[in-house]
Amino acid sequence: MAIQNREGYIESLRRQKPKVFMAGERVENIADNAMFRGGINSVAVAYDAVNDPKYKDLATANSPLTKQVISRWNHIVENEQDAIAKVKLLRAMGNYLVPCSYRCITADILNTAWFISYEIDKKYNTSYHQRVVGAIRDVQMKDSVVGGALVDPKGDRSLRPSKQVDPDMYLHIVERRSDGIVVRGAKAHSTAAPYTNMLFVMPVSRPLSDDEKDYAVGFFTPVDTEGITFICRPPAIPLEPKELEEPYSSRFAGHVEAMVIFDDVFIPWERVFMAGENEFTGPMMDAFASFHMMSKCGCRPASIDLAIGATALIADYNGTEMASHIRECLTDMIMTAEITYSCGLAAAVQGVRHDSGVYIPKGMPGYTGKVFAAKKLGEDRYFMQEVSGALVATMASEKDYRNPETGKYLEKYYKGREGVPTEHRMRAFKLIEDLTASPYAGWYHGMAITGGGTPQALRMGVLVDYDLEESKRKAKIAAGIG
Ligand SMILES: Cc1cc2nc3c(=O)[nH]c(=O)nc-3n(C[C@H](O)[C@H](O)[C@H](O)COP(=O)(O)OP(=O)(O)OC[C@H]3O[C@@H](n4cnc5c(N)ncnc54)[C@H](O)[C@@H]3O)c2cc1C
């Protein structure tokens, strides 16, 4: 069963018993809970793509581990073609309309663990890599969803993990036993975590020093492991079915965010791939960022494609599509999508093959594209509102439109260009409102800016990768200095 479908995935969630809380209540059955509907559907579309003949070539790969055709989301990237296929797949996922299928995390975290466990073994003669390989083989065979639990609560940001007043502000080992380790702490923002099958936990919040070895801990564990609790934020979508309002977020979005508590959780050695090797946390962060920012440069243009379509549609319905400034707004949005996508492809083609067999994308283009697209999201929304006009913020509710007493006026005065039914124009406006001015739009903005890493961390990565001295040398020659 190397390729699963959406039903199999949802069934797998029913078999799990994670300890989940949301809005003050324990949630026993997330698979059938309305709060989790949008998030679970977002993940499930990735299974739809793998089973869809239209996307099969992009969405599957041959696994050297299992000798089977597997989902690309579980694949270890072997070469440039694999990396390119992943970026293309992420953009193609836009055809399913979900803003985030979340499966890129599975791929990005498995590839990172593959690389770092190999590196640690090389130095310390440990046997981490075989454990990771075993876990990945299992994920590939079962076609599981892996959740990324990476970023710690971090307390006072000016203090290192070992200097925090509360030592649990960064997840750490509290006991080493002959059969495994016990860990305590939390991971603060794990998207979708309760509806994954397994968590891969890694320290990526900051590089660690020699007195912080207990914080250098990486492992994988089922979501319903004893001692793990998920405290969830409700999704930023309407929970009741919507017909005309919030047409996008009520049907296609809705990830749940979770703080994952590790209250003295026992992890057997077979599931540990880092336990004290602090000098590897920096390279681990870099590798994860390289994989994940390349992914972001695939999914962000997919969302921009929808934003461009919505903007062109409302211009069409308003009768302004051919106005020069409207064409300019659309063109700028298209350029943002294409530059971001190009950064993803550049990261894919400039990668390097590591001794372990994994192909690691180049960091700088992916970091650049991610920060660029995040900054441009505000500009895109500016264009979307500029092109649409005030009704994005002032349009009456669906209930008034359906009420015969008021609906006849709205039918008359919300009319745009001849030939376009009023309701179509209203739907287009409600889509723009959903994409730019709804609770969902706010969540998405946060994900675009900070999700995956702070802009500053990525800027620093760009500066490190860029040869500034060489550019200064050229400038000196050009200026006739020295
Ligand atoms: C929607 C969303 C989904 C996410 N999903 C996941 C997920 O699935 N898994 C996961 O592990 N994480 C996830 N994250 C977390 C994300 O990776 C983090 O938000 C990000 O790494 C930044 O961490 P932070 O939020 O603690 O911000 P901080 O690190 O507190 O940064 C806030 C600001 O303070 C600055 N700052 C921080 N420390 C210092 C310092 N020492 N000196 C000077 N300036 C400093 C930063 O540069 C930044 O400007 C998600 C985030 C979002 C928004």
Side-chain angles (χ1 to χ4, degrees):
M1 193 200 46
I3 303 266
Q4 195 171 215
N5 57 22
R6 71 158 47 226
E7 288 78 21
Y9 158 61
I10 294 171
E11 250 336 287
S12 76
L13 300 181
R14 292 209 172 89
R15 288 193 296 273
Q16 298 174 171
K17 299 285 169 231
K19 191 173 177 188
V20 177
F21 289 84
M22 184 187 274
E25 287 183 9
R26 176 92 188 252
V27 184
E28 299 286 353
N29 172 11
I30 61 171
D32 299 306
N33 186 298
M35 298 271 202
F36 289 83
R37 175 184 48 83
I40 291 173
N41 183 57
S42 298
V43 176
V45 296
Y47 287 102
D48 295 342
V50 173
N51 289 287
D52 185 337
K54 214 158 91 197
Y55 301 109
K56 217 170 176 136
D57 287 347
L58 273 184
T60 60
N62 290 308
S63 166
L65 276 183
T66 63
K67 313 276 182 260
Q68 285 178 308
V69 175
I70 59 160
S71 162
R72 183 169 296 287
W73 306 113
N74 305 329
H75 185 49
I76 296 303
V77 179
E78 292 183 283
N79 49 40
E80 188 181 318
Q81 285 70 35
D82 267 349
I84 292 171
K86 186 149 155 254
V87 179
K88 287 185 173 176
L89 173 60
L90 278 153
R91 187 157 192 188
M93 289 303 292
N95 295 338
Y96 288 93
L97 297 178
V98 297
C100 167
S101 73
Y102 185 75
R103 290 302 303 282
C104 67
I105 282 274
T106 297
D108 299 340
I109 211 155
L110 294 182
N111 279 276
T112 305
W114 178 283
F115 152 75
I116 208 68
S117 58
Y118 183 94
E119 283 287 295
I120 300 176
D121 281 2
K122 204 165 68 181
K123 180 163 178 190
Y124 289 110
N125 208 17
T126 38
S127 49
Y128 294 144
H129 190 61
Q130 279 319 303
R131 296 172 190 169
V132 169
V133 170
I136 294 174
R137 187 183 293 114
D138 195 51
V139 167
Q140 292 185 348
M141 298 286 287
K142 293 181 181 153
D143 198 1
S144 311
V145 182
V146 173
L150 311 167
V151 178
D152 303 271
K154 299 191 285 196
D156 182 340
R157 270 66 176 154
S158 70
L159 301 176
R160 300 199 53 81
S162 54
K163 304 291 182 242
Q164 297 286 328
V165 174
D166 181 346
D168 301 341
M169 283 299 165
Y170 288 75
L171 185 88
H172 61 124
I173 301 171
V174 290
E175 192 186 344
R176 288 166 189 265
R177 297 180 4 192
S178 58
D179 51 350
I181 55 174
V182 177
V183 297
R184 185 187 303 156
K187 293 294 179 178
H189 330 262
S190 292
T191 306
Y195 42 97
T196 63
N197 302 119
M198 169 169 331
L199 298 177
F200 259 66
V201 181
M202 290 183 186
V204 302
S205 289
R206 66 198 298 166
L208 299 168
S209 52
D210 285 346
D211 60 345
E212 292 171 330
K213 287 186 180 296
D214 284 343
Y215 293 93
V217 56
F219 57 89
F220 46 92
T221 191
V223 288
D224 48 9
T225 303
E226 177 76 28
I228 295 182
T229 302
F230 300 89
I231 306 173
C232 300
R233 178 191 198 276
I237 59 165
L239 296 176
E240 70 280 17
K242 293 273 183 167
E243 165 60 19
L244 195 142
E245 284 162 348
E246 293 158 304
Y248 179 65
S249 62
S250 64
R251 289 186 296 155
F252 299 104
H255 274 307
V256 167
E257 303 293 348
M259 172 172 285
V260 191
I261 310 293
F262 294 81
D263 191 8
D264 289 358
V265 176
F266 173 69
I267 309 292
W269 284 117
E270 307 86 79
R271 295 191 187 141
V272 177
F273 60 90
M274 175 185 269
E277 297 82 5
N278 60 291
E279 71 274 36
F280 289 95
T281 52
M284 177 189 269
M285 284 167 65
D286 292 345
F288 178 74
S290 297
F291 283 112
H292 200 45
M293 296 311 117
M294 182 183 81
S295 298
K296 295 256 177 195
C297 292
C299 71
R300 281 288 289 115
S303 286
I304 305 171
D305 288 336
L306 175 64
I308 293 166
T311 312
L313 189 66
I314 201 70
D316 176 8
Y317 290 178
N318 282 349
T320 57
E321 199 176 14
M322 298 318 289
S324 62
H325 70 290
I326 304 284
R327 309 294 288 173
E328 213 170 286
C329 292
L330 288 167
T331 310
D332 277 12
M333 291 173 76
I334 293 167
M335 288 195 293
T336 296
E338 292 311 312
I339 291 171
T340 308
Y341 187 52
S342 304
C343 286
L345 293 173
V349 298
Q350 295 180 70
V352 288
R353 193 172 156 96
H354 180 252
D355 293 347
S356 61
V358 64
Y359 178 87
I360 303 178
K362 189 165 172 63
M364 181 157 50
Y367 303 170
T368 304
K370 198 269 183 178
V371 174
F372 171 80
K375 284 185 179 171
K376 288 286 185 182
L377 180 55
E379 187 181 277
D380 282 353
R381 289 175 171 184
Y382 175 96
F383 291 141
M384 292 165 84
Q385 295 242 5
E386 179 185 356
V387 169
S388 304
L391 281 177
V392 175
T394 66
M395 182 170 271
S397 79
E398 180 177 356
K399 284 185 176 149
D400 289 318
Y401 183 59
R402 303 288 179 215
N403 178 347
E405 205 175 341
T406 47
K408 61 184 180 206
Y409 297 118
L410 300 182
E411 179 67 29
K412 175 178 164 74
Y413 291 114
Y414 283 158
K415 180 103 182 99
R417 135 177 111 64
E418 202 46 48
V420 177
T422 299
E423 186 171 326
H424 289 193
R425 184 164 177 261
M426 286 181 73
R427 283 180 183 274
F429 267 108
K430 290 294 182 192
L431 174 60
I432 300 272
E433 180 183 334
D434 208 3
L435 293 175
T436 63
S438 66
Y440 157 75
W443 170 83
Y444 188 79
H445 218 134
M447 185 177 74
I449 296 170
T450 317
T454 61
Q456 178 59 6
L458 300 173
R459 275 194 208 102
M460 282 161 62
V462 168
L463 201 55
V464 167
D465 262 11
Y466 187 81
D467 192 346
L468 206 55
E469 286 310 312
E470 171 59 14
S471 293
K472 271 168 72 183
R473 191 186 67 77
K474 285 181 191 138
K476 281 183 186 168
I477 296 169
I481 299 168

